Amino acid sequence: MTGDLDNLRVVLVATRNPLNIGAAARAMSNFGIRRLRVVNPYEVAFREARSAVGAAGLLAKAEQYESVAEAVADCRLVVGTTVAGRRELQHRLQRLDEGGLAIKRQLKTGPVALLFGSERFGLSNQELSHCHWVMRIPTREEHGSMNLGQAVAVCLYELVRGQKTAPAKIVPEKRAKTPAASGDVERLTQLLFKVLDASGYVKPRAAAATEGNLRRMLRRMQLDASDTVLWLGILRQIAWKLRANEKSGE
């Protein structure tokens, strides 16, 4: 399992307190995870966080991105975290123990992104639209939220727990094909949106909602890399035909 952890990317989105980024880096170092990515942190000086005890090197090498799409582009599985509560989710929700098993299986085949939202708001619906499914730590309903650093630590512990005695049911499934990278699925999302817009399907007032629905739908489909290439080719041909018809006045 140790080698598989190299495929895990911990992604912190719009973190408000740099000390929480440092605490997350410390938890990652505790459990042997090295790939930290941050998206639009509120404090640009987060790399100097004193809370990253023993993890200054990891924090210094953190990769910084301007969007979730860029941060997860190389990943075959993208999992969001949420308190859930009364929030209406548009994703499949798994408990930490169930989600941990699924993540372990995928780590054996390629990169996985585990997303944590801001301390105040969590992950927005737009940010969640990049996820295949979401996961929650089973806290009590009366006090569901956790400190960001603590949440990262609990999730990572679940992934390394029982490494030497891993049950048979988490043996990776045999796959004939490679899951599509998140960046390729995002390109497919954008191209499909443009084709639908050109066809008149997209209503201007609902454009953002339509784009989010398309992104979630495509991730639920769990496309293989070859499927994505095929669909990109199909949509490019449709887009070309629509442009040609528009020029000819048909």
Side-chain angles (χ1 to χ4, degrees), residues 5-6 8 28-29 32-36 54-55 57-58 61-63:
L5 293 176
D6 290 336
L8 183 64
M28 291 174 63
S29 181
I33 290 88
R34 299 290 179 183
R35 301 295 296 273
L36 173 62
L58 188 154
K61 294 180 180 179
E63 303 168 57

Side-chain angles (χ1 to χ4, degrees), residues 135-156:
M135 181 172 69
R136 69 175 295 268
I137 298 171
T139 51
R140 66 189 184 98
E141 294 183 4
E142 295 81 0
H143 192 183
S145 64
M146 296 182 67
N147 170 269
L148 177 60
Q150 293 175 332
V152 171
V154 170
C155 289
L156 297 185

Side-chain angles (χ1 to χ4, degrees), residues 175-247:
R175 296 185 59 94
K177 299 181 181 180
T178 303
S182 186
D184 292 334
V185 179
E186 180 62 19
R187 280 188 282 277
L188 179 57
T189 301
Q190 295 302 321
L191 184 54
L192 178 57
F193 180 81
K194 289 179 181 178
V195 168
L196 292 175
D197 188 31
S199 72
Y201 176 84
V202 179
K203 302 298 187 290
R205 291 184 178 180
T210 299
E211 181 180 352
N213 289 336
L214 291 174
R215 183 176 290 116
R216 285 187 288 270
M217 179 190 72
L218 290 172
R219 279 156 179 76
R220 287 196 301 270
M221 293 171 67
Q222 297 183 332
L223 298 170
D224 287 312
S226 58
D227 296 332
T228 307
V229 172
L230 176 62
W231 276 109
L232 283 170
I234 292 172
L235 290 172
R236 288 188 183 110
Q237 180 64 26
I238 294 174
W240 176 83
K241 188 64 174 179
L242 287 172
R243 288 194 299 269
N245 290 344
E246 184 180 358
K247 289 180 180 179

Side-chain angles (χ1 to χ4, degrees), residues 45-91:
F46 70 89
R47 298 180 194 276
E48 302 171 9
R50 291 173 294 174
S51 53
V53 179
L58 188 154
L59 194 60
K61 294 180 180 179
E63 303 168 57
Q64 191 166 349
Y65 297 87
E66 295 183 359
S67 69
V68 171
E70 294 172 334
V72 303
D74 63 332
C75 297
R76 307 293 178 181
L77 174 65
V78 182
V79 178
T81 56
T82 180
V83 176
R86 298 179 181 178
R87 181 177 184 176
E88 182 179 351
L89 296 173
Q90 297 176 319
H91 290 75

